[in-house]
Amino acid sequence: MEDVAEAIAAPAPEQKGFLGWVEKTGNRLPDPVFIFFYLIIALVVISVICAFAGVSAVHPTALDATTGQPEVIRALSLLSPENIQRLWVEMPVTFTHFHPLGYVLVVMLGAGVAERSGFFAAGMSSAVKNAPKALLTPVVALVAMIGNHAADAGYVVLIPLAGVLFAAAGRHPLAGIAAAFAGVSGGFSANISPGQLDALLFGITQEAVEASALDPTWTANIAGNWYFIAAMTFLYLPIIWWVTDRIIEPRLGPWKGGASASAQDADTSPDPEDHTGARAAKGLRHAGLAALFVVGLWLLMVFGPGTPLINEAACDAVPAGDCSIHTQLDPLYRSLVAAFFVLFLLTGWAYGRAAGTIKNHRDLVAMMAESMKDMGYYLVLAFAAAHFVEMFNWSNLGLISAVHGAAGIQSTGLPLPLVLGLMVLFTGLLNLFVGSASAKWALLAPILVPMLMLLGISPEGATAAYRVGDSATNIITPLMVYFPLILVFAQRWQKDFGLGSLTAMMIPYSIWLLISGVILIVAWFYLGIPLGPDAPVGYVLPGAAAAP
């Protein structure tokens, strides 16, 4: 892993043209933590100006308790005595109550064990190496997208392994690397099931909804985009397959090298053989049994005596025709964060015990501790983001911006699906400069989520549109942390393969993924298909303020 870290940190060749400008401009940007710090300073100044100017908006649902008229929301200065006191007194609460924090840390405690025990790497290696040659491209792409649950393992294990497998099949290894990179990073949000990314994004969405006070009853459900991301997976799969086999590989030409990469560069990526063999196969069997146990346990808590994950009394005070089964299943949906923690923990532990990577309980605890060490930067980022989001709430500028923004969009007459499509394109452009998915969503959600709620788009719909734009351009921005590492993997097979070559190779994927993603989100809205369990794409405010 030390060699891999050095590869990531190694300087890449200088890029020219538009992408060179993107690289240079992005490199001039400060760290995302300091971006939030500077934004907080700007927010303080703007709040003082807006408070002095009397900027306000009519709350769309709340009524004034004394007059009975719609409540007027006024901008508040962050330098007022009340807000200054709140900043210092509530600082620990502001940080620890930041919703994504608990979601992400809980899931990563389990995922860290599954990754460090070798379970994720062995599972991906087994799936890809057993693929028929005729289906090598789609299998690599599918495993790459599903492998997003495996965090770094998708980049560090699957991408170099794909190059080896393509070369062994007599195909160009760079085509294999491209297909795996497009699946892992271009299909970053696509998957057949929710995971830690869903916990992260919906935690931020929950924070934005709470800050707006538009719907106190709305709660985050990390399965809220499940149907949508599954559809993304099966939409992106043929696109990556087609682009690889019909565009990328013909441009690369026939492969005339052998089935092995340059020996001197072989230590820059993990040996795929570390994740195969009898012990790995035994570990995977044990992990499969552990997964069945977790699924069975959750089914027992849904259908067994007492049904602890079903709220049978939820519909007692609601007319029979108005109550949904999803209302009763709310405890199940809210337990999914814990479910993924237990699933990753037990499958990783079962694999490690069988494969010999976990020898005792101390190894298990050490892996969990190491996963928390890896979250150190995220904790610093979350501290800054939590204060930015909360101070936006204190100033009332988030809701005021959302109300006026929604009114402005309504006055243009733009169809709502087109609004979602424009949001996808804007996110994709911003992603070229700010790579962190959580940082971007923490910046955008306080305004976009309530604004889209006012326009009739659910928080789940806003989150879905964001993640389409966030993933499609990952594979062409030199600021993506793994970009230099992918370049190193490619140069093992072709020494003169530069940063421009890698970017040019990935641009067709990015274009087609972005176009198809926009079409998908627009069509999804028009058809009104739920984005996940109890997660409609449309939205109606729980109550409307009476007209003055």
Side-chain angles (χ1 to χ4, degrees), residues 43-71:
L43 180 62
V44 170
V45 174
I46 293 171
S47 73
V48 172
I49 296 173
C50 290
F52 179 78
V55 174
S56 64
V58 176
H59 197 288
T61 60
L63 297 176
D64 189 289
T66 56
T67 65
Q69 297 298 310
E71 183 179 349

Side-chain angles (χ1 to χ4, degrees), residues 164-198:
V164 172
L165 293 175
F166 266 62
R171 300 178 60 182
H172 206 295
L174 294 185
I177 288 174
F181 188 26
V184 171
S185 194
F188 182 61
S189 285
N191 219 304
I192 59 174
S193 68
Q196 55 259 44
L197 179 64
D198 297 82

